[in-house]
Amino acid sequence: MTSEIGSERVERLLAELTLEEKLGQLTQYFYFGAIDGGAETADGAPTQPQLVEGALATGGAGALLFVNDPAETNRLQRQAIEGSRHGIPVLFGFDVIHGLRTIFPVPIALAATWDADVIERSQSVAAREARAVGINWVFAPMVDIARDPRWGRMIEGAGEDPLLGGMVAAAQVRGFQGEGIGSAEHVIAGPKHFAGYGAALGGRDYDEANISDQELWNTYFPPFHEAIKAGAGNIMAAYQDLNGVPASGNRWLLHEVLREALGFEGFVVSDANSVRDLETHHFAADLTDAGARALNAGMDMEMAIFDPAFGHLRAAVEDGRVDIARIDESVRRILTAKEALGLFDAPFVDEDAAATVLGDPAHRVAAREAAEASAVLLRNEGVLPLDAAALNRVAVIGPMAASARDTIGPWVFDYDLDETVTIVDGLRTALDGRAEVTYASGVPFDRREFPSMFEMFGDSGPFSPEDFDADAEFAHAVSDAAAADVAVVVLGERQDMIGENASRSSLELPGDQLRLLQAVAETGTPVVLVLMSGRPLDLRWADENVPAILEVWYPGTQGGAAIANLLLGAATPAGRLPFTWPRTVGQVPIHHAVTRSHDPQAQGRRYWDEQSTPLYPFGHGLSYAAFSYGAVAVSAGEVGIDGEVVVSVDVTNTSDRDGAEVVQLYLHQRYGSASRPLRQLAAFERVEVPAGQTRRMQFRIGAEQRRYWSAAIRDWTLDATTFDVWVGGDATASAHAEFTVTA
Ligand code: NOJ
């Protein structure tokens, strides 16, 4: 999709549109019709939906968002086409983050599969359902690197690492877009938020990010670059200040980096109201200034609820602050996207067919498989898999075990709770006629101190009733556990404690959950802790006292079925952590690719009160199978600066059970123009290894894997130096080799 010169149709439209019509094309409105239910305003002023429909009637909107009903998308599309003198259709954008009707595991869970096929398949199902209802553009994937789990939006991304993040980003873009924009049953993908949003100060959502140039180029930009290389048609700009300039008005970021360095050719959209926010930032003088500065920085489309700043741009054109050619460039990009999607020729969806697509049983199978692939077995001292034949009674404990709303997680809108399989449902079905499954919540649902921003959608999930008897319910759970062969304790964060605007200052299990876990463990019944979360929690006690811990994230529509399969051994866990798991919140931010300075001996114990090492390293995850690594071989001890070595290693499944291992290669540059991380993930592959068999893994390490942006020379570089290589199952891998690169 190139924007330098449009198709004949696009150029003809450009020549005919008035300035107001052009600015309309550059505006995306929220449409709150389904949310405010058509309520009238007290003073008789137009409601938000009426304002938007007024804009549609005059060709004043280029895109809408938050409409997901096929009859509504058709109705509004008809208004847009009839309202525009040239019959230009609108784009319908939506936050399709991990599924539309069929909900997949949350994005951090998909990343934990380390498996591009699973991720691509998941998002292609999401795209198919979205397109069926008239959505043709998704605000996903979120590719922000996150190293501070206090930031709730880490759940939407792929964690801490740029290489893994890049793979996950590209796979999602391919899933959403198919062969390319215009593929049937696919949509435009919009990687977000450009850039640095994940580095919000203190993990507080929307706070400023201050990121060094070397971190931007080496860590924060690469996932965007991979998404762009995979053909992403859209990029969303971030809300926050990046090094003192708001991302949405930052020309260096949106033009020099995004267009010139990363080669992006699609259209850039603002985050919700982030152009108007340039005034809030104390950056723009007024709305006209905000619109002018965003547009001149490289913003193509403004997402707004009302009164968009771009609607004020006539004044800026007239006084010369904005060049009409710059406006045309953005309009061309938007019209080109609409044309590539085929909207000029086929703007409507088949309302009857939508229900069939949304109900497709194959989508549920894909969701279950993705949930099975994403769970991470953090610890297992011989308890899992459970032996169904030896079980008479299983005690399932914890409020989320029976909560469909929590099973599917945050950032979903069109879900079906009735068809959602909770963990209690999943275990009851799997053990039907074989063992009794009891259920007790044990503790109440913890209410947030401040209401969730999603409560406007009625979306907080269940609350415990007013008359909830905490003591009685606690005792009930403990006695259930005492009478059972195994206790499956499902703990974590309810789904509205994580996501946008849901930062936490603590990583402890909320409420009384730890005390419940301790009381259940004291019964002497073996305990499996099943964790539902989108970030690491403080598991120090559990790691010492609970024999098995399975992180299942928010596993989606089929979550309970997948977890039952995992617990009972019908599926073998193979997920791996896409982030470093801290012991306590005091250690964050923490990640694996750090550099070393003074006194390596002291590095393990630099806190007065806590070790410096994480609880679980990046890449960690156990299996019911077991793997051993042979010696690491390098094809050459010495290569030239552009040369490549092939690193080989044998991975053997030493168990009697088939399983998948994620083989990870870490690189370390011993010296060079700048300090480099002690270990940096440089290659990986998820591989199925049947019981007793060996797989020879080979990884090519060439200039691309060694290149980095050096703060010393302020450019990309390749150093002549010696490299250490480690290959293994996590960031502490010990099988080692080395090679030297000569100038
Ligand atoms: C704000 C969020 O930051 C962004 O990710 C989302 O796509 C928009 N709102 C639209 O819902």
Side-chain angles (χ1 to χ4, degrees):
M1 208 164 63
T2 170
S3 50
E4 285 181 359
I5 178 108
S7 69
E8 214 183 299
R9 168 163 35 202
V10 168
E11 293 305 317
R12 178 174 45 79
L13 286 171
L14 255 180
E16 292 176 6
L17 293 177
T18 63
L19 176 59
E20 270 64 33
E21 287 166 335
K22 287 178 182 174
L23 297 176
Q25 286 304 308
L26 304 189
T27 302
Q28 175 169 44
Y29 281 105
F30 278 82
Y31 183 78
F32 283 150
I35 293 160
D36 78 355
E40 296 299 318
T41 51
D43 56 2
T47 61
Q48 198 272 351
Q50 284 166 347
L51 280 172
V52 175
E53 293 191 32
L56 289 176
T58 56
L64 300 181
L65 74 151
F66 265 56
V67 189
N68 60 350
D69 175 73
E72 275 292 273
T73 53
N74 277 346
R75 182 179 70 83
L76 293 162
Q77 187 66 284
R78 196 160 288 117
Q79 285 190 22
I81 290 170
E82 286 167 4
S84 142
R85 290 188 302 134
H86 303 90
I88 303 176
V90 285
L91 295 167
F92 284 100
F94 204 85
D95 289 286
V96 182
I97 307 298
H98 54 115
L100 187 75
R101 176 68 57 79
T102 310
I103 307 301
F104 283 75
V106 291
I108 193 83
L110 291 177
T113 67
W114 295 55
D115 187 330
D117 293 339
V118 171
I119 297 167
E120 186 175 332
R121 203 177 321 129
S122 304
Q123 297 300 33
S124 97
V125 168
R128 182 164 185 253
E129 293 188 359
R131 194 69 196 253
V133 302
I135 294 163
N136 42 45
W137 162 26
V138 295
F139 309 129
M142 189 194 93
V143 306
D144 294 315
I145 294 290
R147 294 174 163 183
D148 187 337
R150 291 174 297 180
W151 189 56
R153 299 196 79 171
M154 89 176 274
I155 190 175
E156 293 176 52
E160 74 182 39
D161 185 74
L163 183 79
L164 178 63
M167 179 282 273
V168 175
Q172 293 194 76
V173 169
R174 291 194 304 272
F176 285 128
Q177 296 193 166
E179 297 290 306
I181 295 166
S183 300
E185 305 197 313
H186 287 82
V187 296
I188 289 181
K192 63 192 189 185
H193 308 80
F194 199 67
Y197 184 28
L201 205 62
R204 289 180 297 274
D205 207 4
Y206 317 126
D207 268 10
E208 67 188 81
N210 297 297
I211 311 176
S212 69
D213 284 351
Q214 75 87 11
E215 286 177 289
L216 285 172
W217 290 106
N218 291 320
T219 304
Y220 287 85
F221 293 153
F224 285 97
H225 199 193
E226 292 307 310
I228 290 165
K229 287 194 279 180
N234 167 252
I235 293 278
M236 185 186 291
Y239 273 125
Q240 90 297 334
D241 276 313
L242 176 64
N243 299 332
V245 182
S248 293
N250 191 323
R251 182 163 168 87
W252 173 78
L253 188 65
L254 297 185
H255 187 78
E256 286 172 45
V257 176
L258 186 61
R259 300 271 175 209
E260 292 181 352
L262 306 186
F264 180 60
E265 293 183 343
F267 67 101
V268 180
V269 71
S270 76
D271 202 334
N273 281 346
S274 77
V275 177
R276 289 175 53 94
D277 279 350
L278 294 181
E279 212 185 333
T280 316
H281 278 271
H282 299 279
F283 177 74
D286 51 33
L287 282 185
T288 308
D289 192 34
R293 291 172 76 174
L295 189 87
N296 286 335
M299 191 72 75
D300 296 309
M301 180 178 265
E302 177 183 6
M303 184 194 291
I305 295 174
F306 58 86
D307 191 17
F310 278 7
H312 297 249
L313 281 178
R314 174 170 282 282
V317 172
E318 285 169 357
D319 69 17
R321 267 181 289 170
V322 163
D323 192 344
I324 195 77
R326 173 66 201 90
I327 291 178
D328 285 352
E329 183 181 48
S330 290
V331 177
R332 187 177 286 120
R333 290 184 182 127
I334 306 297
L335 294 177
T336 301
K338 293 179 179 180
E339 184 169 60
L341 280 166
L343 293 184
F344 284 103
D345 304 319
F348 302 111
V349 290
D350 178 343
E351 292 168 31
D352 298 329
T356 313
V357 172
L358 296 181
D360 191 337
H363 294 184
R364 278 62 182 177
V365 174
R368 179 181 47 74
E369 288 173 352
E372 287 169 1
S374 67
V376 181
L377 184 61
L378 295 173
R379 175 176 156 83
N380 187 22
E381 295 299 312
V383 176
L384 292 178
L386 301 174
D387 177 3
L391 294 175
N392 290 314
R393 188 187 277 205
V394 177
V396 180
I397 293 166
M400 289 187 296
S403 162
R405 183 65 195 85
D406 289 288
T407 303
I408 55 179
W411 256 140
V412 289
F413 299 95
D414 191 28
Y415 48 82
D416 181 346
L417 292 183
D418 288 339
E419 74 154 284
T420 300
V421 185
T422 66
I423 295 179
V424 178
D425 298 336
L427 280 169
R428 284 196 173 137
T429 304
L431 291 170
D432 189 30
R434 295 196 279 175
E436 187 190 349
V437 176
T438 63
Y439 168 69
S441 70
V443 290
F445 272 110
D446 220 44
R447 210 176 244 283
R448 286 172 59 130
E449 300 243 325
F450 313 103
S452 154
M453 65 186 282
F454 290 104
E455 275 183 25
M456 68 190 279
F457 304 109
D459 199 43
S460 281
F463 288 119
S464 300
E466 292 287 318
D467 59 356
F468 185 88
D469 183 338
D471 292 340
E473 187 51 31
F474 195 94
H476 171 200
V478 175
S479 75
D480 269 9
D485 302 307
V486 64
V488 175
V489 185
V490 182
L491 303 179
E493 294 177 341
R494 54 177 294 157
Q495 61 84 22
D496 72 341
M497 290 189 75
I498 184 142
E500 187 174 348
N501 207 355
S503 302
R504 283 190 72 201
S505 66
S506 153
L507 294 180
E508 284 169 19
L509 285 166
D512 227 6
Q513 295 186 84
L514 180 58
R515 194 168 70 87
L516 176 67
L517 182 64
Q518 290 169 334
V520 169
E522 262 171 37
T523 64
T525 299
V527 176
V528 178
L529 171 58
V530 172
L531 203 66
M532 273 197 197
S533 77
R535 61 176 137 217
L537 297 175
D538 186 334
L539 292 187
R540 285 175 295 178
W541 187 87
D543 184 64
E544 282 191 5
N545 296 285
V546 174
I549 308 178
L550 184 67
E551 166 66 87
V552 301
W553 319 103
Y554 300 91
T557 304
Q558 288 291 311
I563 292 158
N565 283 345
L566 289 159
L567 295 176
L568 296 167
T572 298
R576 300 291 184 266
L577 292 178
F579 52 75
T580 301
W581 194 295
R583 295 170 190 277
T584 159
V585 72
Q587 289 180 311
V588 308
I590 186 170
H591 66 96
H592 80 279
V594 290
T595 61
R596 170 180 284 174
S597 61
H598 176 65
D599 195 359
Q601 303 311 325
Q603 295 217 340
R605 275 249 171 235
R606 284 167 294 179
Y607 293 109
W608 185 263
D609 55 348
E610 188 47 275
Q611 300 177 55
S612 302
T613 54
L615 188 63
Y616 307 116
F618 174 75
H620 171 73
L622 305 171
S623 171
Y624 301 151
F627 303 96
S628 77
Y629 284 78
V632 181
V634 180
S635 59
E638 212 175 273
V639 285
I641 200 87
D642 295 317
E644 175 180 275
V645 296
V646 179
V647 177
S648 321
V649 67
D650 285 343
V651 179
T652 301
N653 181 343
T654 56
S655 74
D656 56 7
R657 180 183 271 276
D658 298 347
E661 169 74 330
V662 178
V663 182
Q664 302 159 42
L665 184 152
Y666 294 88
L667 212 55
H668 167 234
Q669 169 170 322
R670 288 196 192 158
Y671 53 90
S673 82
S675 306
R676 296 292 294 146
L678 274 176
R679 289 189 175 207
Q680 170 102 50
L681 183 70
F684 62 87
E685 193 177 330
R686 175 159 165 153
V687 58
E688 302 284 340
V689 192
Q693 292 199 21
T694 296
R695 289 277 176 271
R696 164 143 291 215
M697 306 301 296
Q698 294 201 313
F699 299 101
R700 300 180 170 279
I701 302 298
E704 201 188 316
Q705 285 72 30
R706 289 186 276 110
R707 214 165 70 100
Y708 68 99
W709 196 91
S710 166
I713 57 179
R714 305 201 60 75
D715 203 352
W716 293 96
T717 190
L718 282 169
D719 289 339
T721 177
T722 296
F723 286 88
D724 293 295
V725 182
W726 291 271
V727 185
D730 65 38
T732 65
S734 55
H736 174 260
E738 60 183 71
F739 65 93
T740 294
V741 175
T742 56

